[in-house]
């Protein structure tokens, strides 16, 4: 839950009455999204975990915090649609790209917004399956 305004300069400004349009989607706020509480993460494998924050089956989009407890690898894949990533901590990269995203020495945590599927690739770069919001929606543990 966001904290209430106290000494912020905007506290005494008059709120806008028509800020939300009738067809607008609701806002989402997740307190402490990149938490270390492992109960809120779904394992991809032994070292890499995902904390789903928002899932939209109708748009085949989701956002999550990807966390690695140690050196880890998510199977080879590519994204046929846009992906936004913000590195919160640690270091990560793709085998297929020559860059590495780095913040600081803490374990890797990255906020992702993903549209569409991840296409899994074999060692020759051939597609061998996919993972999309419908898999994520099915596999997410119910709220604690």
């Amino acid at each position: 839950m966001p904290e209430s305004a106290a000494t912020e300069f905007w506290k005494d400004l008059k709120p806008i009455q028509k800020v939300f349009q009738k067809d607008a989607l609701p806002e989402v706020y997740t307190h402490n999204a990149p938490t270390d509480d492992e109960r809120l993460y779904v394992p991809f494998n032994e070292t890499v975990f995902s904390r789903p924050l928002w899932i939209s089956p109708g748009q085949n989009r989701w956002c999550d915090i990807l966390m690695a407890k140690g050196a880890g690898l998510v199977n080879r894949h590519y994204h046929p649609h846009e992906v936004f990533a913000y590195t919160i901590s640690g270091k990560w990269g793709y085998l297929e790209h020559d860059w590495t995203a780095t913040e600081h020495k803490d374990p890797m945590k990255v906020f992702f917004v993903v549209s569409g599927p991840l296409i899994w690739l074999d060692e020759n770069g051939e597609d061998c399956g996919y993972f999309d919001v419908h898999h994520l929606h099915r596999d997410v543990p119910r709220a604690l």
Side-chain angles (χ1 to χ4, degrees), residues 72-136:
L73 183 68
V74 174
N75 292 354
R76 288 180 174 91
H77 65 277
Y78 78 94
H79 300 272
H81 302 288
E82 69 274 6
V83 175
F84 170 82
Y86 172 76
T87 303
I88 298 166
S89 63
K91 184 193 300 191
W92 68 281
Y94 286 101
L95 295 171
E96 298 79 18
H97 299 291
D98 62 356
W99 53 263
T100 302
T102 304
E103 271 305 310
H104 52 74
K105 61 182 172 57
D106 290 349
M108 186 276 283
K109 285 185 186 163
V110 179
F111 170 72
F112 281 101
V113 178
V114 180
S115 297
L118 297 119
I119 306 298
W120 299 120
L121 302 172
D122 64 18
E123 59 277 353
N124 298 316
E126 299 294 325
D127 61 352
C128 60
Y130 72 97
F131 176 89
D132 71 3
V133 73
H134 303 288
H135 295 93
L136 188 65

Side-chain angles (χ1 to χ4, degrees), residues 7-103:
T7 59
E8 291 80 2
F9 72 90
W10 62 85
K11 147 181 150 107
D12 294 323
L13 296 176
K14 179 182 174 193
I16 299 170
Q17 295 301 310
K18 192 179 173 187
V19 68
F20 299 108
Q21 301 300 316
K22 65 180 181 177
D23 59 346
L25 295 174
E27 294 180 340
V28 176
Y29 175 81
T30 304
H31 175 70
N32 196 18
T35 182
D36 291 327
D37 186 346
E38 292 182 20
R39 298 174 301 161
L40 301 176
Y41 289 85
V42 178
F44 267 129
N45 54 43
E46 300 81 37
T47 59
V48 180
F49 302 82
S50 168
R51 180 180 184 199
L53 300 175
W54 175 74
I55 300 170
S56 176
Q59 297 178 26
N60 199 8
R61 296 178 72 181
W62 75 90
C63 69
D64 69 343
I65 302 289
L66 201 65
M67 173 183 74
K69 293 195 302 185
L73 183 68
V74 174
N75 292 354
R76 288 180 174 91
H77 65 277
Y78 78 94
H79 300 272
H81 302 288
E82 69 274 6
V83 175
F84 170 82
Y86 172 76
T87 303
I88 298 166
S89 63
K91 184 193 300 191
W92 68 281
Y94 286 101
L95 295 171
E96 298 79 18
H97 299 291
D98 62 356
W99 53 263
T100 302
T102 304
E103 271 305 310

